[in-house]
Amino acid sequence: QIQELQYSVTRPLYSEDTFEDEHAKVYRKHKRLLDHFIQYFTCTSERAKNTAVSLLPIIGWMKIYSIKDWLLNDIVSGVSTGLVAVLQGLAYSLLASISPWYGLYAAFFPVIMYFFLGTSRHISVGAFPVLSLMVGAVVTRLVPDEGLPANITAFEGLTKDEQRILVSASLTFLVGLFQLGMGLLQVGFIVMYLSDTLISGFTTAAAVHILVSQLKFVLGLTVPGFSGPLSIIYTLKSLFTQITSTNIHDLVTSIVVMVMVLGVKEINDRFKSKLPVPIPIEVIMTVIACGVSYAFNFSENHGVDVVGKIPNTFESPIAPSLQVFQMTAVEAFPIAIVGFSVAFAVAKVYSVKHDYLIDGNQELIAFGASNIFGGAFKSLAASTALSRSAVQESTGGKTQIAGLLSALIVLVVILGIGFLLEPLPKSVLGAVVIVNLKGMLMQVVTVPYLWKKDRPDCIVWVGTCLAAIFLGLDLGLAVGLGLELLTVVFRAQFPRCCVLANISGTDIYRDRKDYVNIYEPEGVKIFRIPSPIFFANIDFFRDKLKDAVGFNPLRILRKRNKAVKKIKKMIKKGELTLTSVRLESEDESNMEDLDKPTDYSDLPIQVNWSADLPANIRVPPVNIHSLILDFSGVSFLDISALKGLKAALKEFIRVSVDVYIVGCDPYIIEKLRNCKFFDDEIKTSIFFLTIHDAMLFIHEGKDKRISPKNFKEIFFFDSY
């Protein structure tokens, strides 16, 4: 049907100059930096109201909250999420190398703060395995399993567990400070520099680290914590040297739990449209494992490591250690970035699905305040776990009231029934963690797809993953960012430039290599630049332009100048006799340099460079008379590129090739004016609105270009 539609437009041929003459532009006053500064700090009642609503998003969604339609859904979702949060909190604390119940704090304190400050209505705030692992790497570095802890004054008089809690809490506090600072500085856009490919490779590597770290619980072995580059190799070495000491009860329990959880999760996925709520298999298996462990006294009779004593009260808050701040600042920043980027990515998915807006800067403030509040109460660093958020959304959660109710479930466990979890084997928690890694580990199947569709992205994925696995998550993230920036530079520095040709019978121009029914005008080259032109790619652009036209204009200009000098000498010495030849006229110039316009002064003739020259003088031919540069893909020019472009245009103009630039952004033209780009050789008249405008202009001037009035009778001397 679309092929039957046609349109016909009749309009004048426009260059940029004629278009501006006929169409008046709107004058817009550009604000100075001082104007922006004054506007930013000007306070009005309306702005104060908007700021209050922005800083407390709860005000916005509470006004539209429907108790009748939403409350029951939030209650069901809150209870379901709370049960999962309890189990994951216990499990993920093992990744951080701290006592299990501190993971429960991460499912309570940060949730309370996010309830008031967060803009997402569906994510479940709490422990996230990747963050817990990154925190654990710092904890084991400062307080290793074997050897002395770091020289920190606040460690005096504390047990090893208390020292680790101080490090974890201080690090969480510092992560919150980083996030809050970035939120107040409005730099939420920083998450855009972490592409989906980078995050995918990074989280896959983190899943590998998590898997290896949980093997000691699954096998019932005592393995010291390692940190830094190649820590995963040292951990595996330690595991395999002790493999004969595996606790069979831990191993069998873990295998049973993993098989059951994987099987029921598959049922949940397959029949999710028919099940009112997903079957909470992790919770069910945890309850069964607790009962079996208690009944058979696994801890005493079989040497199984269990969760142990869980305090039935909250511990008093602590002040963070400034010495820990100094020693962990390098690790805290990537933790802050990773925690926010994962949470923001999940929040964005649900905001699109449920049609509401989220604010990246406010999310930074919310997570910053949540981690500061949680760190003061010995909580783990908080973000969101994908599986837990999926439970909160899939069970009908509408707002963060579901999150608040999940925190109340955690509160009940901490204060009331936590003692029931004391006989829970840590191998069960390790098995639950490993099962929940399935989604992250399966991301590896995207590698073949990326290799076929986008190899630079594939290199980013593989490079980030391997670096994070072998160098550690913090260095791996830095390597991934470096690779990502290199791919961006590579794409911008080496764009796919091409020569365009006309689709016959239309005003459409496409790459001449891609189509059959295509017409390339004789004597005209149309060259497309599909990227910004800046200092790093201006030389590449000039080289590609020379390849496209088939000659080097500067080399030809120098050859012509040498030829003219030789002809002048031969005429002066009388070595040539005059014969009538019709040659093209050209403007005179007084410049002598070989790179300058050809100097015809003191020469009684003009030279037609397309004809045979006397005395076996050889000058490469120029087989085009016009060059069109398509700037529709050029978004900016820097000063270095501007100078290089000006030099390139002059080289073509000086060998009698007319240059036209089309589709150029008006703001770039304005910048060219401000930078004194135009002169006697390069004029504003070379700019046209479209390729077709320039082509019609060239076609109209074709007859004038070859008409007799542009030629005159001149004479060459025949050489003796």
Side-chain angles (χ1 to χ4, degrees):
Q1 183 180 357
I2 195 171
Q3 292 180 345
E4 298 175 358
L5 301 176
Q6 295 185 354
Y7 74 90
S8 177
V9 177
T10 302
R11 66 168 177 82
L13 186 155
Y14 281 125
S15 67
E16 288 286 349
D17 289 345
T18 56
F19 185 81
E20 287 193 9
D21 291 340
E22 293 187 18
H23 300 83
K25 294 180 68 173
V26 175
Y27 174 74
R28 286 183 289 181
K29 182 181 178 181
H30 294 285
K31 291 183 179 180
R32 300 169 298 168
L33 182 62
L34 179 62
D35 295 328
H36 287 287
F37 188 80
I38 293 172
Q39 182 182 6
Y40 187 79
F41 287 99
T42 300
C43 183
T44 63
S45 58
E46 184 67 23
R47 188 170 185 184
K49 177 183 175 182
N50 292 336
T51 302
V53 173
S54 174
L55 290 175
L56 291 171
I58 185 175
I59 298 173
W61 60 260
M62 269 296 188
K63 292 190 296 184
I64 62 172
Y65 192 84
S66 173
I67 296 177
K68 179 180 177 181
D69 297 329
W70 292 359
L71 184 58
L72 181 60
N73 288 328
D74 278 340
I75 292 174
V76 173
S77 175
V79 173
S80 304
T81 308
L83 295 174
V84 176
V86 169
L87 185 59
Q88 290 188 350
L90 292 170
Y92 295 158
S93 61
L94 300 181
L95 297 173
S97 301
I98 58 176
S99 300
W101 63 85
Y102 292 106
L104 297 178
Y105 294 173
F108 179 75
F109 291 108
V111 176
I112 302 299
M113 190 62 70
Y114 189 86
F115 174 75
F116 294 100
L117 299 177
T119 59
S120 174
R121 304 175 195 172
H122 291 89
I123 65 170
S124 175
V125 176
F128 177 52
V130 176
L131 288 197
S132 299
L133 187 69
M134 296 176 78
V135 170
V138 178
V139 168
T140 54
R141 178 173 65 84
L142 296 184
V143 189
D145 290 322
E146 299 174 354
L148 297 175
N151 185 20
I152 296 176
T153 306
F155 281 176
E156 295 180 5
L158 300 180
T159 65
K160 179 173 288 188
D161 286 342
E162 290 172 336
Q163 291 172 350
R164 289 189 165 187
I165 290 303
L166 178 61
V167 173
S168 172
S170 299
L171 180 60
T172 299
F173 197 97
L174 182 57
V175 167
L177 288 176
F178 276 130
Q179 290 175 330
L180 182 63
M182 288 189 291
L184 293 175
L185 293 174
Q186 303 286 292
V187 292
F189 64 86
I190 197 171
V191 73
M192 292 187 293
Y193 293 99
L194 300 178
S195 67
D196 292 343
T197 305
L198 185 147
I199 292 294
S200 175
F202 178 77
T203 52
T204 302
V208 174
H209 276 282
I210 294 168
L211 174 63
V212 172
S213 71
Q214 295 307 290
L215 290 178
K216 66 180 180 181
F217 298 112
V218 170
L219 300 175
L221 301 175
T222 301
V223 177
F226 297 97
S227 60
L230 301 181
S231 60
I232 193 170
I233 304 296
Y234 300 135
T235 302
L236 287 171
K237 179 183 177 182
S238 181
L239 279 168
F240 284 115
T241 54
Q242 302 179 57
I243 197 73
T244 55
S245 303
T246 298
N247 188 314
I248 298 300
H249 297 85
D250 273 323
L251 180 60
V252 172
T253 303
S254 301
I255 291 174
V256 171
V257 170
M258 284 190 282
V259 170
M260 290 298 297
V261 172
L262 279 173
V264 176
K265 278 182 172 288
E266 189 66 28
I267 293 173
N268 283 339
D269 290 339
R270 186 165 297 182
F271 299 102
K272 60 183 177 182
S273 59
K274 297 180 180 179
L275 292 172
V277 294
I279 301 171
I281 185 60
E282 292 107 324
V283 177
I284 294 172
M285 294 305 298
T286 300
V287 172
I288 294 173
C290 282
V292 173
S293 176
Y294 178 76
F296 293 96
N297 197 6
F298 275 10
S299 179
E300 297 292 335
N301 297 337
H302 305 292
V304 172
D305 194 10
V306 297
V307 169
K309 180 68 176 176
I310 296 181
N312 61 352
T313 183
F314 286 112
E315 297 186 11
S316 57
I318 59 171
S321 168
L322 294 180
Q323 283 182 286
V324 174
F325 280 5
Q326 293 174 348
M327 294 183 175
T328 61
V330 175
E331 292 97 338
F333 186 72
I335 292 174
I337 295 297
V338 171
F340 167 66
S341 61
V342 171
F344 185 75
V346 176
K348 189 162 58 173
V349 170
Y350 289 128
S351 69
V352 171
K353 182 176 179 180
H354 295 279
D355 193 24
Y356 63 88
L357 298 176
I358 57 172
D359 183 350
N361 293 314
Q362 181 60 28
E363 285 293 292
L364 273 171
I365 292 172
F367 277 104
S370 298
N371 281 317
I372 289 172
F373 184 53
F377 285 91
K378 306 180 182 178
S379 163
L380 272 173
S383 179
T384 185
L386 281 68
S387 58
R388 196 170 60 244
S389 295
V391 169
Q392 180 165 319
E393 191 268 342
S394 63
T395 51
K398 300 296 182 183
T399 64
Q400 280 300 327
I401 286 179
L404 184 63
L405 292 173
S406 73
L408 293 178
I409 297 296
V410 176
L411 179 65
V412 171
V413 171
I414 293 173
L415 300 181
I417 61 174
F419 67 94
L420 297 175
L421 296 172
E422 290 177 3
L424 178 64
K426 289 185 178 179
S427 58
V428 173
L429 295 177
V432 170
V433 171
I434 290 173
V435 168
N436 281 293
L437 295 176
K438 178 186 173 185
M440 287 194 285
L441 290 172
M442 289 303 292
Q443 293 176 130
V444 74
V445 301
T446 62
V447 173
Y449 172 82
L450 289 173
W451 182 252
K452 291 178 181 177
K453 303 298 182 183
D454 195 330
R455 291 191 178 182
D457 266 0
C458 184
I459 292 171
V460 170
W461 196 102
V462 174
T464 302
C465 187
L466 292 178
I469 288 174
F470 293 108
L471 301 180
L473 295 180
D474 48 355
L475 291 176
L477 182 62
V479 170
L481 280 170
L483 287 173
E484 192 171 56
L485 291 176
L486 282 176
T487 60
V488 172
V489 171
F490 178 82
R491 294 174 197 266
Q493 188 170 351
F494 305 106
R496 183 183 174 275
C497 300
C498 61
V499 176
L500 304 182
N502 178 248
I503 302 294
S504 299
T506 72
D507 61 349
I508 299 171
Y509 295 82
R510 290 290 185 267
D511 189 340
R512 65 180 178 181
K513 298 178 182 178
D514 294 341
Y515 294 88
V516 177
N517 186 26
I518 201 161
Y519 164 69
E520 189 171 4
E522 184 180 353
V524 180
K525 285 288 181 192
I526 308 170
F527 187 74
R528 185 173 185 270
I529 305 100
S531 75
I533 305 177
F534 58 105
F535 67 94
N537 69 359
I538 181 62
D539 290 333
F540 175 81
F541 156 70
R542 293 180 67 175
D543 291 340
K544 284 294 181 181
L545 182 56
K546 292 171 188 174
D547 292 341
V549 298
F551 61 87
N552 184 336
L554 184 59
R555 178 171 172 269
I556 289 176
L557 180 62
R558 290 172 177 173
K559 289 272 188 181
R560 288 186 177 183
N561 285 333
K562 288 180 180 178
V564 167
K565 287 185 176 181
K566 187 172 182 179
I567 291 172
K568 285 182 179 180
K569 278 186 179 179
M570 294 177 73
I571 293 175
K572 192 173 182 181
K573 292 179 180 179
E575 296 177 356
L576 299 176
T577 57
L578 282 175
T579 57
S580 178
V581 183
R582 197 177 70 164
L583 297 169
E584 184 179 1
S585 64
E586 300 192 24
D587 294 333
E588 292 190 356
S589 172
N590 293 320
M591 289 178 279
E592 294 289 338
D593 185 52
L594 290 180
D595 292 350
K596 301 300 182 181
T598 306
D599 179 16
Y600 293 102
S601 60
D602 302 325
L603 187 66
I605 60 173
Q606 295 295 329
V607 182
N608 179 5
W609 297 106
S610 61
D612 292 333
L613 299 179
N616 295 320
I617 296 174
R618 303 294 181 191
V619 176
V622 175
N623 52 8
I624 63 170
H625 54 73
S626 299
L627 173 65
I628 300 176
L629 302 180
D630 181 5
F631 268 38
S632 57
V634 179
S635 57
F636 73 86
L637 281 167
D638 67 6
I639 296 299
S640 299
L642 187 146
K643 293 178 180 178
L645 177 64
K646 186 172 185 177
L649 297 189
K650 287 194 173 186
E651 288 172 6
F652 280 100
I653 291 171
R654 289 170 181 176
V655 293
S656 304
V657 175
D658 297 329
V659 181
Y660 305 93
I661 298 176
V662 302
C664 188
D665 190 299
Y667 293 99
I668 292 181
I669 298 176
E670 187 64 29
K671 180 177 182 177
L672 296 178
R673 286 195 179 100
N674 294 335
C675 294
K676 311 297 183 185
F677 182 80
F678 302 107
D679 54 25
D680 292 339
E681 291 181 273
I682 303 176
K683 300 179 172 57
T684 56
S685 58
I686 68 172
F687 287 86
F688 285 79
L689 293 188
T690 68
I691 298 176
H692 210 56
D693 283 309
M695 283 299 303
L696 292 175
F697 179 80
I698 293 169
H699 180 72
E700 288 297 316
K702 183 178 180 182
D703 293 337
K704 297 177 182 178
R705 189 178 292 107
I706 63 173
S707 62
K709 67 180 181 180
N710 287 327
F711 295 90
K712 63 182 179 181
E713 289 293 313
I714 59 92
F715 297 88
F716 271 139
F717 290 93
D718 290 330
S719 57
Y720 293 107

